Structure formats: C-alpha cells, structure tokens
Amino acid sequence: MTTTPDLATLTGEYTIDPAHTTIGFTARHAMVTNVKGKFLDFSGTLHLDGADPSHSTASLDVTMDSIDTGSPDRDGHLKSSDFFKTDEFPKMTFRSTRAESLGGDDYRITGDLTILGTTKPLTIDLEFNGAAKDPFGNERVGFEGKADIKRSEWGLTWNAALETGGVLVSDKIKLNFDISAIKQG
C-alpha cells in the first residue's frame, strides 16, 4: 500500500481532546422517537501509523457516571442497577485489536468493548476528517465514526412493554464518535 507524504507525517502518539470530542449514542424511545445522549468524562489515546494504518491503535476509557441525556431523571435511571450499575461498573472501555484502511479517508477499527464487566467485539467505521495545526501550535487529527450495538449483548436488558405493543427502549443503540486528538511530543 502506498501512502501520501501527508499521511505519513501524521504517524505518532495522540491524546483525545475531551473539550473537542463527543462520545455519543442514540436509542429509540417508545418506538416513536430517538433519545440522544453523550458521555462528558472520558480519556483516550491513539497511535497512528501513516505508513501502515494496520499498525494503528486506539484506547478509550469512559466514566459511566458522566452520562448526559438532557434529563437528570433519565440519567439517574441509566446510572442505576436497571442499566449501567455505575457504583459497581464505573468505566466502559474500548481497546482496539485491529485497524484497517478501506480506501480514501475511510477506516475501520475493531476492538474489545467492555460494559458491565462483559467484553464483546465492536467494529467502528471511521472517516478521517483531516489534520491541522491549531492556533496554539497543537497538531490535531479528526475522525468521525459510528457503530451499532445490541445493548442486550452486554447485559443491558431492562425494558418496559408498551400498551400499544413494542418496548420502551430499543435493543439497538447507535454509537457516534466525533474525535479530535492532539499529537504528543
């Protein structure tokens, strides 16, 4: 695989910038609308290999108590034993196991997602949004990604039946990532 000199210059270690990154999700609620949320407290690192993207890695740690759906009551329910059990399982983690270039600005990263102490594989499709030096001299890269999971596979099974049929919370959850990372060193 040949790489452009621009891509090769991006090789290095990066820290995810929480002030300019969103780790979000969307769930279908009551079978009629989508509820969106995000996590406010997380940290992560990337190792980018511009010459051979398959050698790139990613690591992410999310504080589950930082969940924010815009509703304190709903957030409290999500932190409870019905869902994330944040007292017992304070973190959600992702550790990459494989990275691949799909051509152009498209990449795929596969890894282990751990929620509630259960680890399952997760594949995230990413688009490289570009690289730039910010006004403070930081070299930044940006990626946008998405993945779908079935929450029941991680033991998130609480639900309520609706009078009209269906359930209150969908099993399918859409994960969204808007990542800005700063090169170290």
Side-chain angles (χ1 to χ4, degrees), residues 51-94:
D52 186 352
S54 70
H55 290 132
S56 297
T57 60
S59 174
L60 182 66
D61 294 297
V62 176
T63 302
M64 298 307 286
D65 262 340
S66 73
I67 196 165
D68 179 13
T69 64
S71 167
D73 288 343
R74 181 173 41 232
D75 296 346
H77 189 204
L78 289 169
K79 294 174 190 180
S80 78
S81 61
D82 284 343
F83 286 95
F84 290 120
K85 304 175 187 172
T86 60
D87 289 343
E88 187 180 349
F89 301 100
K91 297 279 185 192
M92 171 175 60
T93 62
F94 177 80

Side-chain angles (χ1 to χ4, degrees), residues 35-47:
V35 170
K36 294 182 180 187
K38 61 186 174 182
F39 294 95
L40 302 175
D41 184 10
F42 53 86
S43 62
T45 59
L46 307 173
H47 166 75

Side-chain angles (χ1 to χ4, degrees), residues 7-16 44-60 94-100 107-109 126 141 143 179 181-184:
L7 189 57
T9 64
L10 299 178
T11 296
E13 305 301 319
Y14 292 79
T15 301
I16 293 175
T45 59
L46 307 173
H47 166 75
L48 300 183
D49 187 326
D52 186 352
S54 70
H55 290 132
S56 297
T57 60
S59 174
L60 182 66
F94 177 80
R95 302 291 183 265
S96 68
T97 56
R98 181 175 181 209
E100 57 188 308
Y107 296 87
R108 180 170 288 148
I109 192 154
L126 295 165
V141 292
F143 292 92
I179 299 168
I182 300 171
K183 193 172 192 177
Q184 303 302 298

Side-chain angles (χ1 to χ4, degrees), residues 18 30 66 82 101 170-171:
S66 73
D82 284 343
S101 172
S170 63
D171 190 30

Side-chain angles (χ1 to χ4, degrees), residues 23 60 92-100 108-115 119-125 146-150 153-154 173-177:
I23 308 297
L60 182 66
M92 171 175 60
T93 62
F94 177 80
R95 302 291 183 265
S96 68
T97 56
R98 181 175 181 209
E100 57 188 308
R108 180 170 288 148
I109 192 154
T110 302
D112 295 325
L113 177 65
T114 302
I115 305 172
T119 302
K120 299 269 185 190
L122 174 68
T123 298
I124 304 167
D125 288 331
K146 62 184 176 181
D148 292 341
I149 65 168
K150 288 187 176 185
E153 293 181 359
W154 280 268
I173 306 295
K174 297 176 182 181
L175 304 177
N176 304 298
F177 307 90

